[in-house]
Amino acid sequence: MITTASPHPNSPHPNPPDPRAQEEYQVRFDWGLDGLHSIAPGADVVVIVDVLPGSTPGADRLVARVPKETQAVLGAGLTNRRAVAGWIRARQAETQGRFTVSIVAVGEPVAAGPDAAGVRFSVEDHFAAGALVDALADTGIDYHSPEAAAACASFTALRGGLRQLIRASGAGRALIAQGGVDLLEQATRLDESQDVPILAEWDDRF
């Protein structure tokens, strides 16, 4: 069960927050560098979603921009979304408090260079982000932003055809054309891996 809520429109706030920050929610979701800048501040953990890393510049450019007050940065895809959710749930239990998770999809950059902010929507990263939101909900971490809830709904509604949809997507067809059929096959095996890549870590409790 996904829980969302809307802030009261007449609530006073001396310094109105960035409306794109999703800061009132425990689980947040956005895309690329711009999205990272919006939703990473204040998060306990940032999760970088990149299903087909061989087809994009990858997560490194995002990891380098995560605020250092974040405790850790994890990597997630379709194969390990339950393992990542379990890791986050265990860390929340250790802290015995509310644990905020910001999920950032890598997508496909539309400009060259490490500072490229714009990204093109990618089906595979959208599904994987939604899959992680779904797995977090199963652990009881379910106070999701509307953006996270929408990604989750797309995953649950289309779960039965994920592999076919990703193969038929622009990124999937490009990877197949480059001889990456095996990579695509491996990357779309839901819940097959228990690996939790820690891309960066600044809190020695973890």
Side-chain angles (χ1 to χ4, degrees):
M1 178 66 179
I2 294 177
T3 306
T4 62
S6 298
H8 193 283
N10 296 321
S11 297
H13 200 302
N15 297 301
D18 177 358
R20 299 184 185 278
Q22 306 174 35
E23 65 178 14
E24 64 267 42
Y25 301 104
Q26 187 177 11
V27 180
R28 312 162 180 174
F29 172 57
D30 211 323
W31 289 81
L33 189 58
D34 284 343
L36 176 74
H37 289 327
S38 292
I39 69 171
D44 294 291
V45 170
V46 171
V47 183
I48 306 297
V49 172
D50 193 15
V51 173
L52 302 176
S55 65
T56 70
D60 291 349
R61 65 194 178 96
L62 298 178
V63 175
R65 301 302 183 89
V66 174
K68 298 302 185 288
E69 65 266 21
T70 301
Q71 296 172 10
V73 184
L74 309 179
L78 291 165
T79 63
N80 69 337
R81 54 107 187 202
R82 287 204 180 276
V84 171
W87 190 98
I88 292 170
R89 179 65 182 89
R91 300 297 83 75
Q92 177 175 268
E94 287 180 8
T95 61
Q96 298 182 349
R98 189 173 186 267
F99 208 69
T100 303
V101 184
S102 288
I103 302 168
V104 181
V106 172
E108 295 188 47
V110 296
D115 296 326
V119 294
R120 181 179 293 113
F121 175 90
S122 65
V123 167
E124 68 279 5
D125 289 352
H126 189 68
F127 282 150
L132 176 57
V133 175
D134 177 66
L136 286 168
D138 286 344
T139 73
I141 301 175
D142 61 358
Y143 189 51
H144 301 153
S145 72
E147 291 83 355
C152 182
S154 71
F155 164 74
T156 57
L158 298 170
R159 177 173 179 169
L162 287 185
R163 182 168 296 172
Q164 293 81 0
L165 288 167
I166 293 171
R167 285 179 63 94
S169 72
R173 286 183 294 167
L175 190 59
I176 291 171
Q178 296 165 10
V181 175
D182 290 342
L183 175 60
L184 190 148
E185 174 73 17
Q186 294 167 8
T188 54
R189 292 174 180 167
L190 191 64
D191 300 329
E192 184 174 83
S193 174
Q194 294 301 310
D195 184 36
V196 180
I198 299 177
L199 307 180
E201 189 173 25
W202 298 285
D203 191 321
D204 58 13
R205 290 178 300 168
F206 294 174

